[in-house]
Amino acid sequence: KNQVEQSPQSLIILEGKNCTLQCNYTVSPFSNLRWYKQDTGRGPVSLTIMTFSENTKSNGRYTATLDADTKQSSLHITASQLSDSASYICVVSAGFGNYQLIWGAGTKLIIKP
Amino acid sequence: NAGVTQTPKFQVLKTGQSMTLQCAQDMNHEYMSWYRQDPGMGLRLIHYSVGAGITDQGEVPNGYNVSRSTTEDFPLRLLSAAPSQTSVYFCASSFHRGSPQETQYFGPGTRLLVL
C-alpha cells in the first residue's frame, strides 16, 4: 500500500534556530516528491518539488533532500522566523500518466519568540 | 488574478441538509479537484475534473456530487450531510493533469460542521 509518513507530528523551536522535518514513503512507482507549507486557515502552497535524480533542492531558507534508495526526504529550515509557523506536508506522486498523489499528515511547526 | 476562491469560508449544517461549496479559478486551468482535510490525516481526493464537462471520482467520493459546466467553476454538492462529512474542504487547480510535476494551487478552504 502506498504510504507517506511524517515525523515529528509537531515541533516547537525558538526563533532563529534550525530544524529538520522528516518524510518516509513507501510509494511505487515513484515519480516525484513535493513539500507544501500550509499556514493556519489557508490552503497548502508548494515549496519544492524533487524528482528521482535530485538529491537536494533549496528555496530560500528551505532545503529539501531526497534519498531515493532509503525512500526518505527531509526539509531543513535555517534561521527560523515567526512566519515559518505552519504545517509542512510531504506529498509523493505515484505513477506517471495516470498518477496518484499520496499525502502525508504533516508536521505542525511552531516558532516561539 | 484572484487565483482559486472558495465560498463560504465556514458553514454549519444539520444532518440531512444539502449544500453546495463553491470554487472558482481565474487562471484558465483545465484541471480542478476537491479534497477534504481531517485531523491527523493527509488530504484525500473527493472528485476531480480534467476539463469542462468531464468529472471523475477520487478516493472518497461517496456523499458528494460535482459538475463542471465552465472552465472557471467547479462546485461540490453535499447531497444529505452527515456528521462524518465534518471537515475542511479545499479546492485546487492546475494547468493540466498530464504531468505529476504540475503545481496545484489551492483555495483558502471551507470549514464545514455537520451537527
Side-chain angles (χ1 to χ4, degrees), chain A residues 68-97:
Chain A
D69 291 331
T70 61
K71 299 187 176 181
Q72 295 180 326
S73 176
S74 65
L75 181 68
H76 185 76
I77 304 174
T78 304
S80 61
Q81 300 176 358
L82 296 178
S83 59
D84 292 330
S85 293
S87 287
Y88 293 84
I89 305 173
C90 174
V91 187
V92 180
S93 295
F96 295 90

Side-chain angles (χ1 to χ4, degrees), chain A residues 49-110:
Chain A
I49 179 172
M50 303 181 71
T51 59
F52 185 87
S53 59
E54 295 175 300
N55 300 115
T56 304
K57 185 168 280 189
S58 293
N59 178 359
R61 294 180 296 101
Y62 300 102
T63 300
T65 65
L66 175 64
D67 186 333
D69 291 331
T70 61
K71 299 187 176 181
Q72 295 180 326
S73 176
S74 65
L75 181 68
H76 185 76
I77 304 174
T78 304
S80 61
Q81 300 176 358
L82 296 178
S83 59
D84 292 330
S85 293
S87 287
Y88 293 84
I89 305 173
C90 174
V91 187
V92 180
S93 295
F96 295 90
N98 191 22
Y99 65 92
Q100 181 186 13
L101 296 178
I102 315 299
W103 291 77
T107 292
K108 185 173 178 64
L109 176 65
I110 298 172

Side-chain angles (χ1 to χ4, degrees), chain A residues 9 31-32 34 36 38 40-46 49 51 89 93 95-101 103-106, chain B residues 31 35 37 40-44 48 59 88 90 94 96-109 111:
Chain A
Q9 273 191 320
S31 178
N32 61 55
R34 194 187 296 263
Y36 280 89
Q38 184 177 19
T40 300
R42 309 288 286 271
V45 175
S46 180
I49 179 172
T51 59
I89 305 173
S93 295
F96 295 90
N98 191 22
Y99 65 92
Q100 181 186 13
L101 296 178
W103 291 77
Chain B
Y31 179 73
Y35 292 89
Q37 186 175 39
M41 301 180 69
L43 269 71
R44 291 183 291 171
Y48 65 93
E59 182 185 354
V88 181
F90 289 100
S94 62
H96 305 291
R97 193 178 183 268
S99 165
Q101 300 216 41
E102 286 280 353
T103 296
Q104 287 196 82
Y105 296 87
F106 285 82
R111 293 181 174 274

